[in-house]
């Protein structure tokens, strides 16, 4: 699947600039369209949190504050996107197939952010998010979790600062799981365009390093040469070992399955996923 429509979800935060740069970096490789998206929560949704018996003036005050904060974040997000569009030389375009080359459009929506992002993700080829910190409860992590678990498309998480390149030297974290298999399939376009590909396998109780040979054989059928790389896991977390190994082979993108499960309305991400999201300094492409 070619990446022709890229959704860039912005939060009005410090990571927006790197996310925009990452989205347009991929767009240049595939002459794709980048749709910037900012979702403002409905200020009325903050009212039930106050409980019953709250005065009307306080309710209005809370809604006004929420509306003001949303407007400020939206202004920041749009400014970052426009600056990135200009820097990338992307031409404004609303509808496909567009004039060719890299194009861009901007969308602002009011509604429940998680539901909105899922809906937009499902009609995109790739979804880009700013750097995610799972140790903090924020709207950004909630939207990311929703898109990962229910968006149906690969998620590219930008690093804290804009990367020099994305996808020229990808590393695939491979353990033979269904999430990893789906992510490889979703990222095949990027892997096929790469200069070299490394397959990282950690020899743990759940994964044998020999599994890399099976994935290498599949990639070979697609004309993709890859090199297995055994990840040594000592006393450090597996996520830390993967990031260290990706740096050792000079990767500019880590491709891995995003692991987690839902419990009630919370998304509980696996330990490896959490560590990589919190600590990665290169872009990370995830699927589920």
């Amino acid at each position: 699947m070619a990446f022709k429509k890229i959704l860039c979800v912005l939060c009005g935060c410090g990571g927006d600039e790197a996310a925009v740069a990452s989205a347009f970096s991929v767009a240049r490789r595939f002459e794709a369209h980048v749709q910037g998206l900012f979702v403002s929560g409905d200020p009325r949704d903050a009212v039930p949190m106050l409980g019953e018996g709250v005065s009307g003036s306080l309710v209005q005050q809370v809604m006004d504050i929420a509306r003001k904060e949303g407007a400020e974040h939206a202004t920041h997000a749009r400014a970052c996107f426009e600056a990135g569009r200009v820097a990338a030389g992307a031409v404004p375009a609303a509808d496909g197939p567009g004039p060719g080359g890299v194009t861009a459009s901007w969308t602002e929506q009011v509604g429940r952010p998680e539901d909105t992002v899922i809906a937009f993700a499902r009609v995109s080829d790739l979804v880009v998010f700013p750097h995610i910190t799972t140790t903090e409860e924020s709207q950004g992590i909630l939207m990311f979790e929703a898109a990962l678990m229910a968006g149906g498309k690969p998620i590219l998480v930008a690093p804290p600062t804009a990367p020099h390149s994305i996808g020229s030297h990808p590393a695939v974290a491979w353990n033979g799981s269904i999430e990893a298999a789906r992510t490889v399939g979703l990222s095949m376009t990027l892997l096929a365009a790469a200069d070299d590909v490394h397959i990282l396998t950690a020899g743990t109780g759940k994964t044998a390093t020999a599994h890399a040979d099976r994935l290498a054989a599949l990639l070979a059928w697609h004309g993709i040469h890859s090199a297995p790389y055994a990840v040594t896991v000592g006393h450090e977390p597996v996520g830390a070992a993967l990031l260290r190994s990706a740096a050792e082979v000079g990767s500019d993108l880590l491709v891995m399955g995003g692991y987690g499960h839902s419990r009630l309305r919370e998304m509980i991400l696996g330990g490896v996923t959490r560590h990589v999201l919190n600590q990665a300094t290169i872009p990370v492409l995830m699927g589920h």
Side-chain angles (χ1 to χ4, degrees):
M1 178 185 68
F3 295 149
K4 298 302 292 184
K5 185 182 179 185
I6 299 170
L7 179 68
C8 183
V9 181
L10 302 181
C11 305
C13 58
D16 284 356
E17 183 177 351
V20 172
S22 299
F24 281 111
S25 178
V26 176
R28 282 193 295 271
R29 293 175 70 90
F30 300 104
E31 295 191 344
H33 177 80
V34 179
Q35 180 182 21
L37 174 66
F38 180 85
V39 186
S40 294
D42 191 329
R44 292 172 296 184
D45 291 340
V47 175
M49 298 173 59
L50 299 176
E52 297 180 1
V54 178
S55 67
S57 61
L58 181 57
V59 169
Q60 187 60 51
Q61 183 180 359
V62 170
M63 290 178 60
D64 290 342
I65 292 173
R67 189 177 292 107
K68 182 175 182 293
E69 289 180 348
E72 291 173 351
H73 289 313
T75 298
H76 178 274
R78 183 161 192 169
C80 284
F81 186 80
E82 182 62 16
R85 181 194 69 78
V86 172
V91 178
D95 303 309
V102 180
T103 59
S105 61
W106 176 253
T107 302
E108 290 183 28
Q109 291 279 306
V110 175
R112 188 169 185 271
E114 298 96 306
D115 293 340
T116 303
V117 167
I118 288 173
F120 276 84
R122 290 176 178 175
V123 290
S124 303
D125 297 319
L126 175 70
V127 185
V128 179
F129 274 89
H131 178 69
I132 298 294
T133 301
T134 65
T135 55
E136 298 178 1
E137 185 70 14
S138 66
Q139 192 59 64
I141 184 62
L142 294 177
M143 290 191 295
F144 163 78
E145 290 172 338
L148 176 67
M149 304 297 284
K153 299 299 171 67
I155 309 295
L156 179 68
V157 182
T161 58
H164 295 294
S165 65
I166 297 178
S168 295
H169 309 283
V172 180
W174 180 250
N175 63 357
S177 69
I178 187 171
E179 293 88 354
R182 286 173 175 164
T183 305
V184 168
L186 292 169
S187 62
M188 199 66 77
T189 296
L190 274 173
L191 298 179
D195 295 332
D196 56 66
V197 177
H198 283 88
I199 303 173
L200 310 182
T201 52
T204 68
K206 298 180 179 180
T207 309
T209 55
H211 288 175
D213 295 335
R214 301 173 186 173
L215 178 59
L218 168 66
L219 296 179
W221 283 106
H222 291 267
I224 302 170
H225 174 73
S226 60
Y229 187 88
V231 177
T232 302
V233 180
H235 297 293
E236 63 186 334
V238 174
L242 286 174
L243 291 175
R244 172 177 50 78
S245 299
E248 289 171 355
V249 298
S251 298
D252 61 357
L253 175 69
L254 178 61
V255 177
M256 62 177 288
Y259 311 105
H261 62 275
S262 61
R263 184 177 65 189
L264 298 179
R265 294 179 65 85
E266 294 182 353
M267 296 299 183
I268 311 300
L269 295 173
V272 176
T273 304
R274 286 198 307 271
H275 188 99
V276 169
L277 288 175
N278 290 333
Q279 302 297 327
T281 58
I282 60 174
V284 179
L285 191 145
M286 289 187 173
H288 181 74

